[in-house]
Amino acid sequence: MNVPHRAILVFLDGVGIGADDAAFNAFAAASLPRLQTLLGGRRLVAEEMDADGRIVAERAVLAAADATLGVEGLPQSGTGQTTLLTGRNGAAEYGRHFGPWVPTPLRPMLAAENLLQRAVDAGRTAAFANAYPLSGAPADPRIFRRPAGPMLAAQSAGALTRGAMELAEGRAVASSITNERWRETLGSDIPQVTPEEAARTLARIAAGADVTLFAHYDTDYTGHRGALNGAIAALERVDAFLGALADALPADTLLVVSSDHGNVEDVRGGHTLNPVPVLALGAGHERFADAASLMHVTPMILDALGIARAG
Ligand SMILES: [Zn+2]
């Protein structure tokens, strides 16, 4: 059965497809057995892609999607996330790449046309799995003044509903996956979880909605820090998380993993011009082999779910 009833989009900030060189590419240096198995034994580096920029494996497909969007300069998170989450070219509409937050002029378009809002407009349900410090404890005002794309999308769709209580009860996932940033930054006593436990929580959340979004940012942070060992550790955590999520994925659910721009695949100097991966598995995943641009991801997910563009 190739028609998915539900979809999960896992957004990983700052993940591109780079050269197979373990001196600077964390994907070449790390041990990522779960991802490698999903990709039929291949690794997520440029040299392991087919000539047409794809990997078509038994359970999954991987496409290399352009993140430069025909706009000069290095891709950035605000415009890249807007593009990924809407299918519209955020960089062209804003006039340049911009980040890390979503520029104010793009926010109404992102609010109206993002994946979660489109699902709600079609009478379907949307979930944002991330926990945010919504009330009580020291909420960081920058989160709301300089918002990331996934949070704005969730807010517009009425899906920004998970906070500390939900995280403690296993009904939300921390953006860091394993809760340690809540412990370190917010002084929270929420227990640490394993990447596998976090993945099972995400699968449970996704079972209760038609479209679920989860956003993870450490891949970009570690790329900016420029230390290969930190980037390797971040990818190994993502590998365990995605492997467990693939194991927990129901047969009627589509899982798509993508990014906004490259970074962690070359830790020598911030963002890159590399294409970003579009990894898809589960029901209806085959079509994502044709995802050649960040602009294709959200329209393909909506199309797979039978949600047509309005108007
Ligand atoms: Zn960045």
Side-chain angles (χ1 to χ4, degrees):
M1 190 59 176
N2 279 336
V3 178
H5 292 116
R6 305 171 195 283
I8 307 172
L9 175 60
V10 171
F11 164 72
L12 305 174
D13 202 324
V15 173
I17 302 173
D20 187 10
D21 190 329
F24 58 81
N25 184 346
F27 280 101
S31 169
L32 307 172
R34 304 302 311 264
L35 195 54
Q36 193 167 353
T37 299
L38 287 172
L39 296 177
R42 295 200 241 179
R43 292 168 305 127
L44 216 171
V45 295
E47 288 82 347
E48 303 242 323
M49 310 285 284
D50 291 336
D52 59 6
R54 297 169 180 167
I55 295 176
V56 179
E58 199 181 315
R59 271 194 79 188
V61 299
L62 179 82
D66 168 69
T68 67
L69 302 168
V71 174
E72 287 278 304
L74 286 172
Q76 301 294 338
S77 282
T79 43
Q81 291 166 12
T82 298
T83 304
L84 178 73
L85 292 169
T86 62
R88 298 249 309 240
N89 189 331
E93 292 190 22
Y94 186 60
R96 62 187 171 96
H97 296 289
F98 182 89
W101 61 91
V102 177
T104 309
L106 287 182
R107 293 180 195 176
M109 187 275 279
L110 174 61
E113 299 197 27
N114 75 78
L115 176 66
L116 300 180
Q117 183 63 49
R118 293 285 306 283
V120 169
D121 287 345
R124 312 286 281 269
T125 54
F128 184 49
N130 290 64
Y132 265 79
L134 296 174
S135 63
D140 184 342
R142 284 174 302 179
I143 291 173
F144 298 99
R145 212 167 53 231
R146 297 180 168 181
M151 194 214 77
L152 283 176
Q155 199 172 34
S156 75
L160 188 64
T161 57
R162 291 176 163 82
M165 186 181 76
E166 287 77 10
L167 188 61
E169 293 174 352
R171 292 188 288 120
V173 182
S175 68
S176 65
I177 297 175
T178 48
N179 297 358
E180 86 272 3
R181 207 172 312 278
W182 280 74
R183 297 169 63 85
E184 288 162 9
T185 318
L186 300 171
S188 162
D189 58 1
I190 287 169
Q192 197 112 350
V193 295
T194 65
E196 289 83 1
E197 287 167 333
R200 288 190 287 271
T201 298
L202 177 55
R204 275 198 308 276
I205 293 167
D210 294 311
V211 181
T212 299
L213 174 63
F214 171 68
H216 176 66
Y217 302 95
D218 290 9
T219 33
D220 191 55
Y221 297 150
T222 57
H224 282 296
R225 279 188 215 115
L228 193 60
N229 57 357
I232 291 168
L235 288 186
E236 291 181 346
R237 180 190 300 166
V238 167
D239 187 65
F241 177 72
L242 292 180
L245 185 58
D247 289 345
L249 198 68
D252 69 347
T253 303
L254 166 69
L255 169 62
V256 179
V257 182
S258 195
S259 186
D260 49 359
H261 56 74
N263 185 346
V264 73
E265 81 287 2
D266 185 342
V267 298
R268 293 174 297 182
H271 295 185
T272 71
L273 296 167
N274 289 325
V276 300
V278 179
L279 172 69
L281 61 150
H285 74 274
E286 296 85 356
R287 73 183 69 211
F288 288 85
D290 296 327
S293 160
L294 273 189
M295 287 186 279
H296 296 162
V297 176
T298 278
M300 281 183 172
I301 294 172
L302 292 168
D303 195 47
L305 291 168
I307 297 173
R309 177 159 283 278

mmCIF file of all heavy atoms in Angstrom, residues 13-14 75-77 100 217 220-221 223-224 260-263 270-271, ligand 1:
data_model
loop_
_atom_site.group_PDB
_atom_site.id
_atom_site.type_symbol
_atom_site.label_atom_id
_atom_site.label_comp_id
_atom_site.label_asym_id
_atom_site.label_seq_id
_atom_site.Cartn_x
_atom_site.Cartn_y
_atom_site.Cartn_z
ATOM 1 N N ASP A 13 18.583 20.866 11.087
ATOM 2 C CA ASP A 13 19.203 22.119 10.650
ATOM 3 C C ASP A 13 20.650 21.876 10.207
ATOM 4 O O ASP A 13 21.400 21.165 10.876
ATOM 5 C CB ASP A 13 19.185 23.120 11.824
ATOM 6 C CG ASP A 13 19.301 24.553 11.359
ATOM 7 O OD1 ASP A 13 20.029 24.830 10.385
ATOM 8 O OD2 ASP A 13 18.667 25.411 11.984
ATOM 9 N N GLY A 14 21.026 22.463 9.083
ATOM 10 C CA GLY A 14 22.435 22.505 8.693
ATOM 11 C C GLY A 14 23.034 21.175 8.270
ATOM 12 O O GLY A 14 24.146 20.852 8.672
ATOM 13 N N PRO A 75 23.199 29.889 1.545
ATOM 14 C CA PRO A 75 21.867 29.645 2.104
ATOM 15 C C PRO A 75 21.849 29.837 3.623
ATOM 16 O O PRO A 75 22.828 29.528 4.310
ATOM 17 C CB PRO A 75 21.594 28.187 1.724
ATOM 18 C CG PRO A 75 22.437 27.946 0.522
ATOM 19 C CD PRO A 75 23.682 28.764 0.738
ATOM 20 N N GLN A 76 20.733 30.342 4.119
ATOM 21 C CA GLN A 76 20.579 30.616 5.558
ATOM 22 C C GLN A 76 19.289 29.986 6.069
ATOM 23 O O GLN A 76 18.375 29.684 5.303
ATOM 24 C CB GLN A 76 20.554 32.132 5.809
ATOM 25 C CG GLN A 76 21.793 32.875 5.347
ATOM 26 C CD GLN A 76 23.060 32.514 6.111
ATOM 27 O OE1 GLN A 76 22.999 32.011 7.242
ATOM 28 N NE2 GLN A 76 24.213 32.744 5.501
ATOM 29 N N SER A 77 19.190 29.886 7.400
ATOM 30 C CA SER A 77 18.098 29.118 7.998
ATOM 31 C C SER A 77 16.723 29.764 7.846
ATOM 32 O O SER A 77 15.736 29.068 7.620
ATOM 33 C CB SER A 77 18.377 28.880 9.486
ATOM 34 O OG SER A 77 19.310 27.845 9.640
ATOM 35 N N PRO A 100 19.636 33.705 11.300
ATOM 36 C CA PRO A 100 19.025 32.379 11.460
ATOM 37 C C PRO A 100 17.505 32.394 11.664
ATOM 38 O O PRO A 100 16.867 31.377 11.503
ATOM 39 C CB PRO A 100 19.721 31.828 12.721
ATOM 40 C CG PRO A 100 20.157 33.025 13.490
ATOM 41 C CD PRO A 100 20.454 34.080 12.467
ATOM 42 N N TYR A 217 18.161 21.078 15.919
ATOM 43 C CA TYR A 217 19.073 22.155 15.502
ATOM 44 C C TYR A 217 20.552 21.895 15.800
ATOM 45 O O TYR A 217 21.408 22.631 15.332
ATOM 46 C CB TYR A 217 18.658 23.471 16.179
ATOM 47 C CG TYR A 217 17.238 23.865 15.849
ATOM 48 C CD1 TYR A 217 16.178 23.518 16.698
ATOM 49 C CD2 TYR A 217 16.936 24.550 14.680
ATOM 50 C CE1 TYR A 217 14.867 23.851 16.383
ATOM 51 C CE2 TYR A 217 15.635 24.890 14.361
ATOM 52 C CZ TYR A 217 14.607 24.536 15.210
ATOM 53 O OH TYR A 217 13.314 24.857 14.893
ATOM 54 N N ASP A 220 23.313 21.953 13.090
ATOM 55 C CA ASP A 220 23.836 23.251 12.640
ATOM 56 C C ASP A 220 24.765 23.865 13.694
ATOM 57 O O ASP A 220 25.828 24.370 13.357
ATOM 58 C CB ASP A 220 22.679 24.205 12.328
ATOM 59 C CG ASP A 220 23.154 25.466 11.612
ATOM 60 O OD1 ASP A 220 23.818 25.347 10.562
ATOM 61 O OD2 ASP A 220 22.887 26.569 12.102
ATOM 62 N N TYR A 221 24.353 23.796 14.983
ATOM 63 C CA TYR A 221 25.206 24.357 16.050
ATOM 64 C C TYR A 221 26.599 23.753 16.006
ATOM 65 O O TYR A 221 27.600 24.461 16.080
ATOM 66 C CB TYR A 221 24.632 24.071 17.440
ATOM 67 C CG TYR A 221 23.294 24.679 17.760
ATOM 68 C CD1 TYR A 221 22.425 24.030 18.650
ATOM 69 C CD2 TYR A 221 22.887 25.894 17.223
ATOM 70 C CE1 TYR A 221 21.195 24.567 18.981
ATOM 71 C CE2 TYR A 221 21.661 26.430 17.544
ATOM 72 C CZ TYR A 221 20.812 25.763 18.422
ATOM 73 O OH TYR A 221 19.593 26.281 18.742
ATOM 74 N N GLY A 223 28.116 22.248 13.593
ATOM 75 C CA GLY A 223 28.830 22.662 12.388
ATOM 76 C C GLY A 223 29.468 24.031 12.574
ATOM 77 O O GLY A 223 30.621 24.257 12.194
ATOM 78 N N HIS A 224 28.714 24.962 13.202
ATOM 79 C CA HIS A 224 29.264 26.306 13.426
ATOM 80 C C HIS A 224 30.439 26.283 14.397
ATOM 81 O O HIS A 224 31.359 27.088 14.275
ATOM 82 C CB HIS A 224 28.180 27.244 13.962
ATOM 83 C CG HIS A 224 27.246 27.723 12.898
ATOM 84 N ND1 HIS A 224 27.666 28.509 11.853
ATOM 85 C CD2 HIS A 224 25.923 27.528 12.714
ATOM 86 C CE1 HIS A 224 26.626 28.786 11.066
ATOM 87 N NE2 HIS A 224 25.554 28.185 11.574
ATOM 88 N N ASP A 260 17.738 22.610 5.793
ATOM 89 C CA ASP A 260 17.578 23.918 5.175
ATOM 90 C C ASP A 260 18.807 24.361 4.371
ATOM 91 O O ASP A 260 18.680 25.138 3.428
ATOM 92 C CB ASP A 260 17.226 24.986 6.228
ATOM 93 C CG ASP A 260 18.145 24.941 7.441
ATOM 94 O OD1 ASP A 260 19.054 24.071 7.498
ATOM 95 O OD2 ASP A 260 17.954 25.765 8.364
ATOM 96 N N HIS A 261 19.969 23.874 4.754
ATOM 97 C CA HIS A 261 21.222 24.243 4.081
ATOM 98 C C HIS A 261 22.319 23.338 4.629
ATOM 99 O O HIS A 261 22.158 22.733 5.683
ATOM 100 C CB HIS A 261 21.583 25.714 4.347
ATOM 101 C CG HIS A 261 21.671 26.036 5.811
ATOM 102 N ND1 HIS A 261 22.720 25.621 6.600
ATOM 103 C CD2 HIS A 261 20.810 26.668 6.638
ATOM 104 C CE1 HIS A 261 22.506 26.026 7.840
ATOM 105 N NE2 HIS A 261 21.346 26.646 7.905
ATOM 106 N N GLY A 262 23.438 23.290 3.926
ATOM 107 C CA GLY A 262 24.553 22.490 4.405
ATOM 108 C C GLY A 262 25.340 23.184 5.496
ATOM 109 O O GLY A 262 25.320 24.410 5.624
ATOM 110 N N ASN A 263 26.035 22.392 6.321
ATOM 111 C CA ASN A 263 26.949 22.904 7.327
ATOM 112 C C ASN A 263 27.774 21.756 7.931
ATOM 113 O O ASN A 263 28.987 21.724 7.791
ATOM 114 C CB ASN A 263 26.178 23.648 8.427
ATOM 115 C CG ASN A 263 27.099 24.307 9.444
ATOM 116 O OD1 ASN A 263 28.290 24.021 9.506
ATOM 117 N ND2 ASN A 263 26.554 25.195 10.252
ATOM 118 N N GLY A 270 31.275 27.131 8.495
ATOM 119 C CA GLY A 270 29.870 27.541 8.492
ATOM 120 C C GLY A 270 29.079 26.930 7.352
ATOM 121 O O GLY A 270 29.394 25.844 6.866
ATOM 122 N N HIS A 271 28.053 27.657 6.910
ATOM 123 C CA HIS A 271 27.129 27.117 5.907
ATOM 124 C C HIS A 271 27.854 26.828 4.593
ATOM 125 O O HIS A 271 28.879 27.434 4.296
ATOM 126 C CB HIS A 271 25.984 28.092 5.667
ATOM 127 C CG HIS A 271 25.117 28.277 6.876
ATOM 128 N ND1 HIS A 271 23.970 29.028 6.861
ATOM 129 C CD2 HIS A 271 25.216 27.789 8.142
ATOM 130 C CE1 HIS A 271 23.411 29.007 8.062
ATOM 131 N NE2 HIS A 271 24.150 28.276 8.856
HETATM 132 ZN ZN ZN B 1 23.530 27.987 10.787
#
